[in-house]
């Protein structure tokens, strides 16, 4: 049989997860999996994401929360979806405040500012509203997330990035917190700086119009898979600005109006 006639074997959830875990472990970027094998749709991508989590937990990590991706309406329309992506956070991804990131341990890390929720109550869909989502939040923090795609040049289709756990890598949460009723999350301003130079500014409205609206959409999306956001979990609500490259010796800072400041240094 000629190479042009050869039928390629579709990926299953386990093989997708193992390939992406291997790329992460070996610091080996690669092409889109959707280009290499047929059948990698959104359902299979989320199944692969669940296998990815199971492998990490099986290796001793602990599930600590949920992250949202593609929370801006413009990005959603561009990708042809109507709700943010959801992905998993483990304790191995969490950095202590002032703990630097070993840039050499990653592929091409970028940093984005986040409004971070810590859940006081379990939040389970379907039908969760913005008001209900916000009522389940115990406290709000400033945060920075390091994203690090396992795809060359951060180039991927929607199922690719879902299977890659939404480019998860590292995150840091400021120890300072505010109760959700003590700030205006829509108007909460943020300035992102790199080595003291302003790179971008935004407000909480950049996240789905209201960070709690993104939280509600995530809870409802998880409910379609029989899952929920649990009490005590951390939720990264989505990048407020475009992500900035993290390089050895550089410092990325997010300065929030009410939530305070959080820094992340590259080493």
């Amino acid at each position: 049989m000629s190479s042009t006639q050869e039928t390629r074997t579709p990926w299953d959830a386990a093989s997708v997860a193992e390939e992406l875990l291997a790329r992460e472990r070996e610091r080996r970027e690669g092409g889109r999996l959707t280009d290499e094998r047929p059948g990698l749709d959104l359902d299979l991508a989320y199944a692969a994401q669940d296998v990815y989590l199971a492998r990490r937990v099986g290796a001793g990590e602990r599930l600590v929360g949920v992250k949202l991706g593609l929370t801006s309406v413009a990005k959603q329309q561009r990708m042809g979806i109507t709700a943010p992506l959801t992905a998993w956070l483990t304790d191995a991804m969490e950095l202590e405040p002032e703990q630097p990131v070993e840039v050499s341990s990653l592929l091409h890390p970028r940093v984005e500012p986040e409004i971070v929720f810590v859940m006081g109550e379990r939040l389970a869909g379907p039908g969760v509203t913005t008001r209900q989502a916000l009522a389940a939040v115990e406290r709000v923090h400033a945060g920075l997330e390091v994203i690090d795609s396992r795809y060359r040049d951060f180039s991927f289709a929607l199922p690719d990035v879902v299977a890659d756990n939404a480019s998860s890598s590292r995150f840091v949460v400021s120890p300072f917190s505010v109760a959700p009723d003590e700030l205006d999350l829509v108007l909460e301003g943020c300035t992102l700086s790199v080595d003291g130079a302003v790179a971008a500014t935004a407000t909480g409205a950049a996240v789905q119009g209201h960070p709690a609206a993104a939280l509600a959409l995530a809870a409802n999306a998880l409910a379609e898979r029989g899952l929920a956001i649990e009490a005590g979990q951390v939720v990264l609500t989505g990048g407020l600005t475009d992500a900035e490259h993290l390089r050895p010796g550089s410092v990325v800072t997010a300065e929030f109006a009410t939530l305070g400041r959080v820094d992340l240094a590259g080493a």
Side-chain angles (χ1 to χ4, degrees):
M1 181 181 292
S2 70
S3 60
T4 57
Q5 295 173 317
E6 183 179 355
T7 300
R8 294 178 298 178
T9 303
W11 293 100
D12 60 17
S15 61
V16 169
E18 295 296 349
E19 168 62 17
L20 291 169
L21 283 165
R23 290 185 186 185
E24 183 176 1
R25 183 173 59 251
E26 299 164 8
R27 294 188 63 253
R28 169 173 56 85
E29 63 182 9
R32 300 181 179 200
L33 297 186
T34 50
D35 289 342
E36 298 177 12
R37 292 291 187 274
L40 180 54
D41 59 13
L42 202 54
D43 288 341
L44 179 57
Y46 272 117
Q49 192 187 94
D50 292 342
V51 174
Y52 168 96
L53 175 64
R55 295 288 190 272
R56 295 190 73 131
V57 171
E61 296 180 30
R62 179 172 54 87
L63 175 64
V64 297
V66 175
K67 62 165 284 185
L68 285 74
L70 298 179
T71 49
S72 82
V73 173
K75 289 181 180 179
Q76 289 174 15
Q77 290 175 342
R78 199 154 54 238
M79 298 299 288
I81 63 171
T82 57
L85 308 181
T86 58
W88 304 114
L89 300 172
T90 74
D91 60 337
M93 302 174 188
E94 186 167 11
L95 299 166
E96 294 296 326
E98 301 184 6
Q99 179 183 350
V101 175
E102 294 291 337
V103 176
S104 63
S105 68
L106 303 174
L107 285 164
H108 33 209
R110 302 178 185 181
V111 183
E112 56 190 21
E114 304 261 349
I115 290 174
V116 182
F117 293 147
V118 175
M119 304 304 296
E121 301 174 8
R122 188 174 193 262
L123 189 63
V128 173
T129 66
T130 299
R131 179 176 293 182
Q132 290 169 335
L134 191 59
V137 175
E138 178 179 312
R139 57 186 191 271
V140 187
H141 297 253
L144 288 168
E145 184 187 9
V146 182
I147 55 174
D148 190 33
S149 175
R150 270 56 70 171
Y151 298 106
R152 190 175 299 112
D153 299 323
F154 269 82
S155 175
F156 42 71
L158 183 60
D160 292 308
V161 67
V162 169
D164 195 30
N165 202 45
S167 305
S168 62
S169 175
R170 305 285 189 274
F171 69 96
V172 62
V173 177
S174 167
F176 176 74
S177 68
V178 174
D181 61 355
E182 293 179 355
L183 77 167
D184 187 331
L185 282 163
V186 173
L187 297 180
E188 177 68 6
C190 174
T191 299
L192 185 71
S193 302
V194 180
D195 296 328
V198 174
T201 61
T203 68
V207 181
Q208 202 65 36
H210 192 302
L215 177 63
L217 287 169
N220 292 330
L222 286 168
E224 296 177 3
R225 297 155 58 199
L227 302 169
I229 302 172
E230 304 295 339
Q233 287 189 336
V234 172
V235 180
L236 304 185
T237 59
L240 292 166
T241 70
D242 285 338
E244 294 293 323
H245 291 280
L246 181 66
R247 297 180 173 87
S250 68
V251 178
V252 180
T253 300
E255 184 79 42
F256 287 81
T258 308
L259 295 172
R261 171 175 171 160
V262 59
D263 300 293
L264 193 57

